[in-house]
Amino acid sequence: MSKLHITSLSKHFDHQPVLQNLSLQVEEGEFVSILGPSGSGKTTLFHLIGGMMEPEEGSIVLDGEKINGKRGSISYMPQDHALLPWRTVLGNVILGQEIHGRKDEARAKEWIVRAGLSGYEGAYPDELSGGMKQRVAFIRALMSPQSLLCLDEPFSSLDEFTRLDMQKWLMDIWEDDKRSVLFITHNIDEALFLSDRIIVLSGKPSNVQKEFRLPYPRPRDEKMILSKEFLQHKKEIFRELTKHVQHD
């Protein structure tokens, strides 16, 4: 399991600040979601954590090691499933391991079965539904050796019913794995259902404006979505997000 500590992070594009003095942390086995207005730099933050770009200021420390500009430290799942069309389900699942010089097909097949994809090991992405593709992409992220998962709106392209099924499936899998997760979403219900803690970003230049620590026990039950406590948290987060949108 991983501990992530980001301190006083700033990033500019063409001299325009996108992130400014941003600090946050993810503790071992914690599921943290990030909400914020469009254009608030959420994906930029993931690119910085993943080493695809470097900040002008600040530090990104994972398990005590500074990883500014260092690639390969996290397992990253983008908005698009990014499956390779010429590789089978099994081939896509073990891709992350192959990149790191490892290959455990037996374990990969176990995860495929757990994902409800038994019999699809030899199928190609264009033979799968949207939800099935997202499951393959998530298993690939789990199979990668890094202990921090960064998930960038992985369910945004799915319809509402498939999305809820994927959320419940993700929770079932994560309860067993308990890897540290940093999760980007625009969906307040999704963040509340999945997370231990929610971080709300301001508009640009973005920093952490508010955190919500959630009291809901695990494993989560979808009935919680209709509870008064859930709706109250939703109202508070909505007010926070609307306030920042109005300020932009």
Side-chain angles (χ1 to χ4, degrees):
M1 295 185 187
S2 285
K3 286 185 178 182
L4 174 72
H5 290 269
I6 295 174
T7 306
S8 302
L9 202 66
S10 294
K11 179 63 182 175
H12 301 75
F13 291 111
D14 297 324
H15 306 292
Q16 295 295 317
V18 177
L19 304 175
Q20 185 167 300
N21 199 32
L22 184 148
S23 298
L24 61 83
Q25 63 277 339
V26 181
E27 301 300 332
E28 287 188 3
E30 190 179 24
F31 197 118
V32 177
S33 288
I34 297 177
L35 287 166
S38 294
S40 59
K42 298 183 293 296
T43 297
T44 296
L45 175 61
F46 271 18
H47 289 168
L48 289 165
I49 297 170
M52 289 176 273
M53 55 181 68
E54 293 192 48
E56 276 72 43
E57 299 176 8
S59 64
I60 306 165
V61 177
L62 183 64
D63 296 332
E65 178 187 356
K66 188 174 180 179
I67 60 169
N68 290 32
K70 182 180 179 181
R71 299 193 181 198
S73 299
I74 65 167
S75 182
Y76 175 57
M77 181 177 169
Q79 295 177 29
D80 189 303
H81 55 77
L83 300 181
L84 300 180
W86 59 87
R87 293 186 71 129
T88 63
V89 166
L90 179 60
N92 271 287
V93 164
I94 63 175
L95 179 61
Q97 285 194 326
E98 288 182 351
I99 291 172
H100 289 84
R102 308 177 186 180
K103 193 172 181 179
D104 189 346
E105 288 194 6
R107 183 165 172 260
K109 289 176 180 177
E110 289 176 7
W111 277 109
I112 290 170
V113 171
R114 290 188 62 188
L117 296 171
S118 180
Y120 286 91
E121 294 86 350
Y124 290 89
D126 63 0
E127 301 175 80
L128 307 177
S129 68
M132 293 166 76
K133 290 175 184 176
Q134 292 304 95
R135 292 186 186 210
V136 174
F138 185 69
I139 297 168
R140 179 177 60 192
L142 283 176
M143 286 290 295
S144 295
Q146 303 91 340
S147 57
L148 175 67
L149 297 180
C150 288
L151 309 179
D152 188 353
E153 295 193 75
F155 308 141
S156 60
S157 64
L158 304 177
D159 65 76
E160 197 63 30
F161 293 107
T162 304
R163 186 173 187 144
L164 180 58
D165 283 342
M166 286 299 299
Q167 290 166 7
K168 292 188 288 186
W169 177 80
L170 172 58
M171 280 292 92
D172 287 342
I173 295 293
W174 180 79
E175 288 289 346
D176 290 340
D177 187 75
K178 275 293 173 74
R179 207 173 300 195
S180 304
V181 174
L182 193 58
F183 185 92
I184 289 176
T185 179
H186 279 100
N187 188 300
I188 299 175
D189 285 6
E190 181 169 73
L192 285 168
F193 182 65
L194 296 175
S195 309
D196 298 307
R197 189 159 45 91
I198 294 173
I199 294 172
V200 178
L201 299 184
S202 68
K204 287 193 290 190
S206 297
N207 55 30
V208 175
Q209 288 298 107
K210 189 146 188 177
E211 292 190 10
F212 295 84
R213 190 171 294 277
L214 305 178
Y216 311 120
R218 295 188 184 277
R220 299 278 165 88
D221 187 327
E222 63 185 288
K223 293 177 183 177
M224 65 179 270
I225 296 173
L226 301 177
S227 69
K228 290 182 179 180
E229 190 175 27
F230 187 96
L231 294 174
Q232 182 58 37
H233 272 119
K234 184 175 180 179
K235 289 177 183 177
E236 291 175 9
I237 294 170
F238 179 77
R239 280 197 296 266
E240 193 72 23
L241 287 168
T242 303
K243 179 173 64 178
H244 297 316
V245 170
Q246 290 173 344
H247 285 173
D248 285 351

